[in-house]
Amino acid sequence: MPAFLSILLFSLAFVQALCFPQSFNIREVYRFPNGTWLENIAVRLNGNLLVTDLMTVGLWEIVPPTESIHSSIRLVHHFDGADDVAGITEVSPDTFAVISSNSVWQIEFNSHDDPPKATLISKIPAGFLNGMATLDEGKAVMISDSQLGLVWHLDIQTGNYTVLHRHETMEANSDLGLLIGVNGLRTLHNYMYYSNSPKRIFCRVRIDTRTGRALGPYEIVSHDTLADDFAIDPRGIGYLASLTDNEITRVFPNGSHDVVAGSKDSRDLMAATSAAFGRTRSERHVLYVTTGGETENPVNNTASLGGKVMAVSIPF
Ligand SMILES: *[C@@H]1O[C@H](CO)[C@@H](O)[C@H](O)[C@H]1NC(C)=O
Ligand SMILES: *[C@@H]1O[C@H](CO)[C@@H](O)[C@H](O)[C@H]1NC(C)=O
Ligand SMILES: *[C@@H]1O[C@H](CO)[C@@H](O)[C@H](O)[C@H]1NC(C)=O
Ligand SMILES: *[C@@H]1O[C@H](CO)[C@@H](O)[C@H](O)[C@H]1NC(C)=O
């Protein structure tokens, strides 16, 4: 390489590092067809990604690409007759609970390549079940109800459900077009974290990790952070999928926040809906992000494309 070129490249890299110190490496993992809206994501123990898709009302499994092999995909389960599919959470090793049309299903993988077994756990008289997290021992889950603005407790062994949390930070309004409030839901250590999309707040409450009951006040961690679902790292730092802000917003426990990937006028993370960290040793710092695609309000009115899964490297 000619010297001037390497100096130029070096300078460019230097300028880029100065201007975008928090812009982490980002790459495409898998792109779905036009019209696809990916809603949520979980990662299997073997590193494969499970994503829920509204267009096909299906749960899909993606094997991420390696240096020599392209990514591949298979349909895990189709929710016959359902209108939507939403949150997903692992309840015991390689068994997942998945929401579809206010019903919660159990999807059980087995060691063979057989189709996983799907069993209905319960249908809840909810407004709109959306995000979901598992409580200790995997006997119950907590589920955000975006329309009623509350959180349900569901016993996955008996199918019994009851309202567990109801607080003004969870309330719904129509500021974003449709009636929606509490949305993403995850647990870490002794806290339940949640987002409220129209209120643009990211919150948490200390809980009894077995029952899910509140043991402290409902706290607002950050304001001005639009979010659908999110991932949370072991230090309690949130990585919020910011929907129409087209980015991943990183929120520190003290409430300060910045953008680690994407931007308003970039298509990289257009309509970011959820995020989850990889689980294998080499992928623990890889944040997998789902998007709703570019069918509605594409950036700069460019062509529409389907939802996709992107990978962002997050050093921690
Ligand atoms: C679950 O609900 C059923 C029917 O309402 C009730 O009979 C049963 O006692 C409940 N089980 C538990 C563990 O709360
Ligand atoms: C909040 O925490 C981050 C990360 O530790 C730090 O960089 C920042 O200065 C803190 N902000 C305030 C206002 O304390
Ligand atoms: C959208 O337009 C802005 C401003 O002209 C530009 O900076 C940006 O790169 C465009 N984005 C795309 C995806 O074309
Ligand atoms: C993608 O789908 C939208 C909505 O159905 C349609 O308007 C658009 O023309 C499609 N774009 C392409 C490239 O097929």
Side-chain angles (χ1 to χ4, degrees), residues 101-162:
S101 287
N102 288 348
S103 289
V104 181
W105 292 78
Q106 179 164 301
I107 307 284
E108 216 174 317
F109 288 86
N110 48 48
S111 47
H112 315 291
D113 240 359
D114 310 337
K117 197 173 125 208
T119 327
L120 179 66
I121 300 171
S122 199
K123 180 162 179 64
I124 299 181
F128 179 70
L129 296 184
N130 197 334
M132 180 163 53
T134 308
L135 285 164
D136 275 5
E137 298 159 12
K139 294 196 176 95
V141 293
M142 299 187 289
I143 310 173
S144 66
D145 186 326
S146 293
Q147 216 170 65
L148 300 184
L150 49 83
V151 171
W152 294 90
H153 178 279
L154 169 66
D155 184 318
I156 59 174
Q157 287 166 339
T158 64
N160 286 10
Y161 46 80
T162 175

Short mmCIF file of all heavy atoms in Angstrom, two decimals, residues 101-162:
data_model
loop_
_atom_site.label_atom_id
_atom_site.label_comp_id
_atom_site.label_asym_id
_atom_site.label_seq_id
_atom_site.Cartn_x
_atom_site.Cartn_y
_atom_site.Cartn_z
N SER A 101 -50.66 -13.62 20.74
CA SER A 101 -52.07 -13.23 20.90
C SER A 101 -52.57 -13.44 22.34
O SER A 101 -53.61 -14.07 22.55
CB SER A 101 -52.95 -14.02 19.93
OG SER A 101 -52.76 -13.53 18.62
N ASN A 102 -51.85 -12.89 23.29
CA ASN A 102 -52.21 -12.95 24.72
C ASN A 102 -52.24 -14.37 25.28
O ASN A 102 -52.77 -14.60 26.38
CB ASN A 102 -53.52 -12.22 25.00
CG ASN A 102 -53.35 -10.71 24.90
OD1 ASN A 102 -52.23 -10.21 24.84
ND2 ASN A 102 -54.46 -9.99 24.90
N SER A 103 -51.72 -15.34 24.55
CA SER A 103 -51.52 -16.68 25.08
C SER A 103 -50.03 -16.88 25.31
O SER A 103 -49.21 -16.29 24.59
CB SER A 103 -52.00 -17.73 24.08
OG SER A 103 -53.41 -17.71 24.01
N VAL A 104 -49.70 -17.68 26.29
CA VAL A 104 -48.29 -17.97 26.54
C VAL A 104 -48.06 -19.46 26.27
O VAL A 104 -48.78 -20.32 26.78
CB VAL A 104 -47.88 -17.61 27.98
CG1 VAL A 104 -46.39 -17.89 28.19
CG2 VAL A 104 -48.18 -16.14 28.25
N TRP A 105 -47.10 -19.73 25.41
CA TRP A 105 -46.77 -21.10 24.99
C TRP A 105 -45.41 -21.49 25.54
O TRP A 105 -44.54 -20.65 25.76
CB TRP A 105 -46.70 -21.17 23.46
CG TRP A 105 -48.02 -21.00 22.79
CD1 TRP A 105 -48.68 -19.82 22.59
CD2 TRP A 105 -48.85 -22.03 22.25
NE1 TRP A 105 -49.87 -20.06 21.95
CE2 TRP A 105 -50.00 -21.40 21.73
CE3 TRP A 105 -48.73 -23.42 22.16
CZ2 TRP A 105 -51.02 -22.11 21.12
CZ3 TRP A 105 -49.75 -24.13 21.55
CH2 TRP A 105 -50.89 -23.49 21.05
N GLN A 106 -45.26 -22.79 25.75
CA GLN A 106 -43.95 -23.32 26.12
C GLN A 106 -43.39 -24.05 24.91
O GLN A 106 -44.04 -24.90 24.32
CB GLN A 106 -44.10 -24.26 27.30
CG GLN A 106 -42.80 -24.89 27.74
CD GLN A 106 -42.92 -25.49 29.13
OE1 GLN A 106 -43.23 -24.80 30.08
NE2 GLN A 106 -42.71 -26.79 29.21
N ILE A 107 -42.16 -23.68 24.53
CA ILE A 107 -41.50 -24.30 23.37
C ILE A 107 -40.27 -25.03 23.91
O ILE A 107 -39.34 -24.40 24.43
CB ILE A 107 -41.06 -23.24 22.34
CG1 ILE A 107 -42.23 -22.34 21.93
CG2 ILE A 107 -40.39 -23.90 21.15
CD1 ILE A 107 -43.22 -22.94 20.98
N GLU A 108 -40.31 -26.35 23.78
CA GLU A 108 -39.28 -27.19 24.39
C GLU A 108 -38.37 -27.80 23.32
O GLU A 108 -38.83 -28.61 22.52
CB GLU A 108 -40.02 -28.32 25.11
CG GLU A 108 -39.42 -28.79 26.39
CD GLU A 108 -40.37 -29.81 27.02
OE1 GLU A 108 -41.59 -29.58 27.03
OE2 GLU A 108 -39.86 -30.84 27.47
N PHE A 109 -37.11 -27.42 23.34
CA PHE A 109 -36.16 -28.03 22.41
C PHE A 109 -35.67 -29.34 23.02
O PHE A 109 -35.71 -29.53 24.23
CB PHE A 109 -34.97 -27.11 22.16
CG PHE A 109 -35.32 -25.91 21.31
CD1 PHE A 109 -35.84 -24.77 21.90
CD2 PHE A 109 -35.14 -25.95 19.93
CE1 PHE A 109 -36.18 -23.67 21.12
CE2 PHE A 109 -35.48 -24.85 19.15
CZ PHE A 109 -36.00 -23.72 19.75
N ASN A 110 -35.23 -30.25 22.17
CA ASN A 110 -34.67 -31.49 22.69
C ASN A 110 -33.30 -31.70 22.08
O ASN A 110 -32.89 -30.95 21.19
CB ASN A 110 -35.60 -32.66 22.37
CG ASN A 110 -36.02 -32.61 20.92
OD1 ASN A 110 -35.18 -32.45 20.04
ND2 ASN A 110 -37.31 -32.72 20.66
N SER A 111 -32.62 -32.70 22.54
CA SER A 111 -31.23 -32.87 22.10
C SER A 111 -31.15 -33.31 20.63
O SER A 111 -30.14 -33.12 19.99
CB SER A 111 -30.54 -33.89 22.99
OG SER A 111 -31.37 -35.01 23.15
N HIS A 112 -32.24 -33.89 20.11
CA HIS A 112 -32.22 -34.29 18.69
C HIS A 112 -32.61 -33.10 17.83
O HIS A 112 -32.86 -32.02 18.33
CB HIS A 112 -33.20 -35.44 18.46
CG HIS A 112 -33.11 -36.49 19.52
ND1 HIS A 112 -32.03 -37.31 19.64
CD2 HIS A 112 -33.95 -36.79 20.53
CE1 HIS A 112 -32.22 -38.10 20.69
NE2 HIS A 112 -33.37 -37.79 21.25
N ASP A 113 -32.72 -33.32 16.55
CA ASP A 113 -33.10 -32.24 15.66
C ASP A 113 -34.61 -32.22 15.41
O ASP A 113 -35.08 -31.54 14.51
CB ASP A 113 -32.32 -32.34 14.34
CG ASP A 113 -31.49 -31.09 14.11
OD1 ASP A 113 -31.55 -30.19 14.98
OD2 ASP A 113 -30.79 -31.01 13.08
N ASP A 114 -35.37 -32.97 16.22
CA ASP A 114 -36.82 -33.03 16.03
C ASP A 114 -37.41 -31.63 16.21
O ASP A 114 -36.84 -30.80 16.90
CB ASP A 114 -37.48 -33.94 17.08
CG ASP A 114 -36.79 -35.29 17.15
OD1 ASP A 114 -36.15 -35.66 16.16
OD2 ASP A 114 -36.90 -35.94 18.21
N PRO A 115 -38.61 -31.43 15.64
CA PRO A 115 -39.24 -30.14 15.88
C PRO A 115 -39.51 -29.99 17.38
O PRO A 115 -39.90 -30.95 18.04
CB PRO A 115 -40.57 -30.24 15.11
CG PRO A 115 -40.40 -31.38 14.18
CD PRO A 115 -39.39 -32.30 14.77
N PRO A 116 -39.28 -28.83 17.95
CA PRO A 116 -39.52 -28.63 19.38
C PRO A 116 -41.00 -28.80 19.69
O PRO A 116 -41.86 -28.59 18.85
CB PRO A 116 -39.08 -27.19 19.62
CG PRO A 116 -38.33 -26.79 18.42
CD PRO A 116 -38.79 -27.63 17.29
N LYS A 117 -41.26 -29.19 20.94
CA LYS A 117 -42.64 -29.44 21.37
C LYS A 117 -43.26 -28.12 21.86
O LYS A 117 -42.68 -27.42 22.68
CB LYS A 117 -42.60 -30.46 22.51
CG LYS A 117 -43.93 -31.13 22.79
CD LYS A 117 -43.73 -32.25 23.81
CE LYS A 117 -44.66 -32.03 24.99
NZ LYS A 117 -44.17 -32.58 26.23
N ALA A 118 -44.46 -27.80 21.36
CA ALA A 118 -45.15 -26.57 21.76
C ALA A 118 -46.38 -26.92 22.59
O ALA A 118 -47.19 -27.75 22.19
CB ALA A 118 -45.56 -25.78 20.53
N THR A 119 -46.51 -26.31 23.77
CA THR A 119 -47.64 -26.56 24.66
C THR A 119 -48.20 -25.22 25.12
O THR A 119 -47.44 -24.33 25.50
CB THR A 119 -47.18 -27.31 25.94
OG1 THR A 119 -46.09 -28.17 25.61
CG2 THR A 119 -48.30 -28.10 26.57
N LEU A 120 -49.52 -25.10 25.12
CA LEU A 120 -50.15 -23.87 25.61
C LEU A 120 -50.11 -23.87 27.14
O LEU A 120 -50.55 -24.82 27.78
CB LEU A 120 -51.60 -23.80 25.12
CG LEU A 120 -52.39 -22.58 25.58
CD1 LEU A 120 -51.82 -21.29 24.99
CD2 LEU A 120 -53.87 -22.71 25.19
N ILE A 121 -49.57 -22.79 27.73
CA ILE A 121 -49.56 -22.68 29.19
C ILE A 121 -50.84 -22.02 29.67
O ILE A 121 -51.49 -22.49 30.59
CB ILE A 121 -48.34 -21.85 29.68
CG1 ILE A 121 -47.02 -22.50 29.25
CG2 ILE A 121 -48.38 -21.70 31.20
CD1 ILE A 121 -45.80 -21.63 29.52
N SER A 122 -51.19 -20.90 29.05
CA SER A 122 -52.35 -20.17 29.51
C SER A 122 -52.75 -19.09 28.52
O SER A 122 -51.91 -18.59 27.79
CB SER A 122 -52.02 -19.51 30.86
OG SER A 122 -53.19 -19.17 31.55
N LYS A 123 -54.04 -18.77 28.51
CA LYS A 123 -54.50 -17.58 27.77
C LYS A 123 -54.95 -16.58 28.81
O LYS A 123 -55.74 -16.91 29.70
CB LYS A 123 -55.64 -17.94 26.83
CG LYS A 123 -56.13 -16.74 26.05
CD LYS A 123 -56.95 -17.14 24.82
CE LYS A 123 -57.45 -15.91 24.06
NZ LYS A 123 -56.36 -15.09 23.49
N ILE A 124 -54.42 -15.36 28.74
CA ILE A 124 -54.66 -14.37 29.78
C ILE A 124 -55.61 -13.29 29.26
O ILE A 124 -55.44 -12.82 28.12
CB ILE A 124 -53.30 -13.75 30.23
CG1 ILE A 124 -52.40 -14.87 30.79
CG2 ILE A 124 -53.51 -12.65 31.27
CD1 ILE A 124 -51.05 -14.41 31.29
N PRO A 125 -56.60 -12.88 30.06
CA PRO A 125 -57.52 -11.82 29.63
C PRO A 125 -56.82 -10.46 29.70
O PRO A 125 -57.19 -9.58 30.50
CB PRO A 125 -58.68 -11.92 30.61
CG PRO A 125 -58.08 -12.50 31.84
CD PRO A 125 -56.96 -13.40 31.40
N ALA A 126 -55.80 -10.30 28.88
CA ALA A 126 -54.93 -9.12 28.95
C ALA A 126 -55.31 -8.10 27.90
O ALA A 126 -56.13 -8.37 27.01
CB ALA A 126 -53.48 -9.57 28.73
N GLY A 127 -54.71 -6.92 28.00
CA GLY A 127 -54.84 -5.92 26.94
C GLY A 127 -53.94 -6.33 25.80
O GLY A 127 -54.39 -6.80 24.76
N PHE A 128 -52.63 -6.22 26.00
CA PHE A 128 -51.66 -6.70 25.01
C PHE A 128 -50.40 -7.17 25.73
O PHE A 128 -49.61 -6.36 26.22
CB PHE A 128 -51.33 -5.60 24.00
CG PHE A 128 -50.33 -6.04 22.97
CD1 PHE A 128 -50.68 -6.98 22.01
CD2 PHE A 128 -49.03 -5.55 22.97
CE1 PHE A 128 -49.76 -7.41 21.06
CE2 PHE A 128 -48.09 -5.99 22.03
CZ PHE A 128 -48.47 -6.92 21.08
N LEU A 129 -50.21 -8.48 25.77
CA LEU A 129 -49.01 -9.04 26.39
C LEU A 129 -47.82 -8.79 25.47
O LEU A 129 -47.91 -9.01 24.27
CB LEU A 129 -49.17 -10.54 26.62
CG LEU A 129 -50.27 -10.98 27.60
CD1 LEU A 129 -50.22 -12.48 27.79
CD2 LEU A 129 -50.15 -10.26 28.94
N ASN A 130 -46.70 -8.36 26.06
CA ASN A 130 -45.60 -7.91 25.21
C ASN A 130 -44.24 -8.45 25.66
O ASN A 130 -43.73 -9.41 25.12
CB ASN A 130 -45.63 -6.38 25.18
CG ASN A 130 -44.84 -5.79 24.04
OD1 ASN A 130 -43.90 -6.40 23.56
ND2 ASN A 130 -45.21 -4.60 23.61
N GLY A 131 -43.63 -7.86 26.69
CA GLY A 131 -42.31 -8.32 27.15
C GLY A 131 -42.45 -9.35 28.26
O GLY A 131 -43.46 -9.41 28.95
N MET A 132 -41.40 -10.16 28.45
CA MET A 132 -41.52 -11.24 29.44
C MET A 132 -40.16 -11.60 30.03
O MET A 132 -39.15 -11.60 29.33
CB MET A 132 -42.13 -12.46 28.75
CG MET A 132 -42.33 -13.67 29.64
SD MET A 132 -43.50 -14.86 28.92
CE MET A 132 -42.80 -15.13 27.30
N ALA A 133 -40.13 -11.90 31.34
CA ALA A 133 -38.89 -12.32 31.99
C ALA A 133 -39.20 -13.43 32.98
O ALA A 133 -40.30 -13.50 33.55
CB ALA A 133 -38.25 -11.13 32.71
N THR A 134 -38.22 -14.31 33.18
CA THR A 134 -38.39 -15.48 34.04
C THR A 134 -38.01 -15.17 35.48
O THR A 134 -37.02 -14.49 35.73
CB THR A 134 -37.50 -16.63 33.52
OG1 THR A 134 -37.77 -16.81 32.14
CG2 THR A 134 -37.75 -17.92 34.28
N LEU A 135 -38.78 -15.68 36.43
CA LEU A 135 -38.43 -15.55 37.84
C LEU A 135 -37.59 -16.74 38.27
O LEU A 135 -37.48 -17.74 37.55
CB LEU A 135 -39.71 -15.45 38.68
CG LEU A 135 -40.39 -14.09 38.58
CD1 LEU A 135 -41.82 -14.15 39.10
CD2 LEU A 135 -39.59 -13.03 39.35
N ASP A 136 -36.99 -16.65 39.45
CA ASP A 136 -36.11 -17.71 39.94
C ASP A 136 -36.77 -19.09 39.90
O ASP A 136 -37.96 -19.20 40.11
CB ASP A 136 -35.72 -17.41 41.40
CG ASP A 136 -34.53 -16.47 41.45
OD1 ASP A 136 -34.11 -16.02 40.37
OD2 ASP A 136 -34.04 -16.20 42.56
N GLU A 137 -35.99 -20.08 39.66
CA GLU A 137 -36.41 -21.48 39.62
C GLU A 137 -37.25 -21.79 38.38
O GLU A 137 -37.70 -22.93 38.20
CB GLU A 137 -37.18 -21.87 40.89
CG GLU A 137 -36.33 -21.76 42.16
CD GLU A 137 -37.16 -21.63 43.43
OE1 GLU A 137 -38.38 -21.86 43.36
OE2 GLU A 137 -36.57 -21.32 44.47
N GLY A 138 -37.49 -20.80 37.55
CA GLY A 138 -38.21 -21.04 36.29
C GLY A 138 -39.64 -21.51 36.44
O GLY A 138 -40.20 -22.11 35.53
N LYS A 139 -40.25 -21.23 37.61
CA LYS A 139 -41.63 -21.69 37.81
C LYS A 139 -42.64 -20.65 37.37
O LYS A 139 -43.83 -20.96 37.23
CB LYS A 139 -41.86 -22.02 39.29
CG LYS A 139 -41.05 -23.21 39.78
CD LYS A 139 -41.63 -23.71 41.10
CE LYS A 139 -40.89 -24.95 41.58
NZ LYS A 139 -39.81 -24.62 42.53
N ALA A 140 -42.19 -19.42 37.20
CA ALA A 140 -43.12 -18.36 36.85
C ALA A 140 -42.43 -17.31 35.99
O ALA A 140 -41.21 -17.21 35.96
CB ALA A 140 -43.68 -17.71 38.12
N VAL A 141 -43.26 -16.55 35.27
CA VAL A 141 -42.74 -15.44 34.47
C VAL A 141 -43.51 -14.17 34.82
O VAL A 141 -44.62 -14.22 35.33
CB VAL A 141 -42.86 -15.72 32.95
CG1 VAL A 141 -41.95 -16.85 32.53
CG2 VAL A 141 -44.31 -16.01 32.55
N MET A 142 -42.89 -13.02 34.52
CA MET A 142 -43.56 -11.73 34.64
C MET A 142 -43.75 -11.23 33.21
O MET A 142 -42.85 -11.37 32.38
CB MET A 142 -42.69 -10.74 35.41
CG MET A 142 -42.41 -11.21 36.83
SD MET A 142 -41.55 -9.93 37.79
CE MET A 142 -39.93 -9.95 37.04
N ILE A 143 -44.91 -10.67 32.93
CA ILE A 143 -45.23 -10.26 31.57
C ILE A 143 -45.78 -8.84 31.56
O ILE A 143 -46.72 -8.52 32.31
CB ILE A 143 -46.30 -11.19 30.94
CG1 ILE A 143 -45.92 -12.66 31.12
CG2 ILE A 143 -46.51 -10.85 29.48
CD1 ILE A 143 -47.02 -13.62 30.68
N SER A 144 -45.21 -7.99 30.71
CA SER A 144 -45.74 -6.63 30.60
C SER A 144 -47.01 -6.65 29.75
O SER A 144 -47.09 -7.37 28.75
CB SER A 144 -44.70 -5.69 29.98
OG SER A 144 -44.45 -6.04 28.64
N ASP A 145 -47.99 -5.89 30.20
CA ASP A 145 -49.22 -5.71 29.43
C ASP A 145 -49.21 -4.26 28.96
O ASP A 145 -49.49 -3.34 29.73
CB ASP A 145 -50.44 -6.00 30.33
CG ASP A 145 -51.75 -5.97 29.56
OD1 ASP A 145 -51.87 -5.16 28.61
OD2 ASP A 145 -52.66 -6.74 29.93
N SER A 146 -48.85 -4.07 27.70
CA SER A 146 -48.61 -2.72 27.19
C SER A 146 -49.87 -1.88 27.14
O SER A 146 -49.82 -0.66 27.25
CB SER A 146 -47.99 -2.78 25.79
OG SER A 146 -46.70 -3.32 25.87
N GLN A 147 -51.02 -2.54 26.95
CA GLN A 147 -52.26 -1.78 26.82
C GLN A 147 -52.86 -1.41 28.18
O GLN A 147 -53.29 -0.28 28.39
CB GLN A 147 -53.26 -2.62 26.03
CG GLN A 147 -54.13 -1.82 25.11
CD GLN A 147 -54.91 -2.74 24.19
OE1 GLN A 147 -55.75 -3.53 24.62
NE2 GLN A 147 -54.59 -2.66 22.91
N LEU A 148 -52.84 -2.36 29.11
CA LEU A 148 -53.40 -2.09 30.44
C LEU A 148 -52.38 -1.39 31.34
O LEU A 148 -52.72 -0.93 32.43
CB LEU A 148 -53.89 -3.38 31.10
CG LEU A 148 -54.99 -4.14 30.34
CD1 LEU A 148 -55.48 -5.35 31.14
CD2 LEU A 148 -56.18 -3.24 30.01
N GLY A 149 -51.12 -1.34 30.91
CA GLY A 149 -50.09 -0.63 31.68
C GLY A 149 -49.78 -1.28 33.00
O GLY A 149 -49.73 -0.63 34.05
N LEU A 150 -49.57 -2.59 32.99
CA LEU A 150 -49.28 -3.33 34.22
C LEU A 150 -48.42 -4.56 33.90
O LEU A 150 -48.13 -4.84 32.74
CB LEU A 150 -50.57 -3.72 34.94
CG LEU A 150 -51.68 -4.39 34.11
CD1 LEU A 150 -51.43 -5.87 33.95
CD2 LEU A 150 -53.04 -4.18 34.77
N VAL A 151 -48.06 -5.28 34.96
CA VAL A 151 -47.25 -6.49 34.78
C VAL A 151 -47.98 -7.67 35.43
O VAL A 151 -48.40 -7.60 36.59
CB VAL A 151 -45.85 -6.31 35.40
CG1 VAL A 151 -45.07 -7.62 35.42
CG2 VAL A 151 -45.06 -5.24 34.63
N TRP A 152 -48.13 -8.74 34.65
CA TRP A 152 -48.77 -9.96 35.13
C TRP A 152 -47.74 -10.92 35.71
O TRP A 152 -46.58 -10.93 35.28
CB TRP A 152 -49.47 -10.69 33.98
CG TRP A 152 -50.64 -9.99 33.37
CD1 TRP A 152 -50.61 -9.11 32.32
CD2 TRP A 152 -52.02 -10.13 33.73
NE1 TRP A 152 -51.88 -8.69 32.01
CE2 TRP A 152 -52.76 -9.30 32.86
CE3 TRP A 152 -52.70 -10.88 34.70
CZ2 TRP A 152 -54.16 -9.20 32.93
CZ3 TRP A 152 -54.08 -10.78 34.76
CH2 TRP A 152 -54.79 -9.94 33.90
N HIS A 153 -48.19 -11.75 36.63
CA HIS A 153 -47.43 -12.91 37.10
C HIS A 153 -48.13 -14.14 36.53
O HIS A 153 -49.35 -14.27 36.64
CB HIS A 153 -47.47 -12.94 38.63
CG HIS A 153 -46.76 -14.11 39.24
ND1 HIS A 153 -47.33 -15.36 39.35
CD2 HIS A 153 -45.52 -14.23 39.79
CE1 HIS A 153 -46.48 -16.18 39.92
NE2 HIS A 153 -45.37 -15.51 40.21
N LEU A 154 -47.36 -15.02 35.90
CA LEU A 154 -47.95 -16.26 35.38
C LEU A 154 -47.17 -17.45 35.93
O LEU A 154 -45.95 -17.56 35.74
CB LEU A 154 -47.89 -16.27 33.84
CG LEU A 154 -48.24 -17.60 33.16
CD1 LEU A 154 -49.70 -17.98 33.37
CD2 LEU A 154 -47.93 -17.54 31.66
N ASP A 155 -47.89 -18.32 36.62
CA ASP A 155 -47.30 -19.57 37.11
C ASP A 155 -47.30 -20.54 35.93
O ASP A 155 -48.38 -20.92 35.44
CB ASP A 155 -48.17 -20.10 38.27
CG ASP A 155 -47.57 -21.34 38.90
OD1 ASP A 155 -47.09 -22.22 38.14
OD2 ASP A 155 -47.59 -21.45 40.13
N ILE A 156 -46.14 -20.94 35.46
CA ILE A 156 -46.13 -21.74 34.23
C ILE A 156 -46.44 -23.21 34.49
O ILE A 156 -46.65 -23.98 33.56
CB ILE A 156 -44.81 -21.59 33.43
CG1 ILE A 156 -43.60 -21.99 34.24
CG2 ILE A 156 -44.65 -20.18 32.91
CD1 ILE A 156 -42.34 -21.99 33.41
N GLN A 157 -46.47 -23.60 35.76
CA GLN A 157 -46.86 -24.99 36.04
C GLN A 157 -48.37 -25.15 36.14
O GLN A 157 -48.94 -26.12 35.64
CB GLN A 157 -46.16 -25.47 37.32
CG GLN A 157 -44.67 -25.72 37.05
CD GLN A 157 -43.84 -25.87 38.30
OE1 GLN A 157 -44.23 -25.43 39.38
NE2 GLN A 157 -42.68 -26.46 38.16
N THR A 158 -49.04 -24.18 36.80
CA THR A 158 -50.50 -24.28 36.94
C THR A 158 -51.24 -23.47 35.88
O THR A 158 -52.43 -23.69 35.66
CB THR A 158 -50.94 -23.73 38.31
OG1 THR A 158 -50.62 -22.33 38.37
CG2 THR A 158 -50.24 -24.44 39.45
N GLY A 159 -50.54 -22.52 35.25
CA GLY A 159 -51.22 -21.65 34.29
C GLY A 159 -51.97 -20.52 34.98
O GLY A 159 -52.60 -19.70 34.32
N ASN A 160 -51.89 -20.44 36.30
CA ASN A 160 -52.58 -19.36 37.04
C ASN A 160 -51.87 -18.02 36.81
O ASN A 160 -50.66 -17.96 36.78
CB ASN A 160 -52.59 -19.65 38.55
CG ASN A 160 -53.59 -20.74 38.90
OD1 ASN A 160 -54.14 -21.39 38.02
ND2 ASN A 160 -53.81 -20.92 40.19
N TYR A 161 -52.69 -16.97 36.71
CA TYR A 161 -52.12 -15.65 36.49
C TYR A 161 -52.76 -14.64 37.42
O TYR A 161 -53.88 -14.84 37.89
CB TYR A 161 -52.33 -15.21 35.04
CG TYR A 161 -53.71 -15.44 34.53
CD1 TYR A 161 -54.74 -14.55 34.84
CD2 TYR A 161 -54.02 -16.57 33.77
CE1 TYR A 161 -56.02 -14.76 34.40
CE2 TYR A 161 -55.30 -16.80 33.33
CZ TYR A 161 -56.30 -15.90 33.64
OH TYR A 161 -57.58 -16.14 33.23
N THR A 162 -52.02 -13.58 37.72
CA THR A 162 -52.54 -12.52 38.56
C THR A 162 -51.77 -11.23 38.27
O THR A 162 -50.64 -11.29 37.76
CB THR A 162 -52.41 -12.93 40.06
OG1 THR A 162 -52.82 -11.84 40.86
CG2 THR A 162 -50.99 -13.29 40.44
#
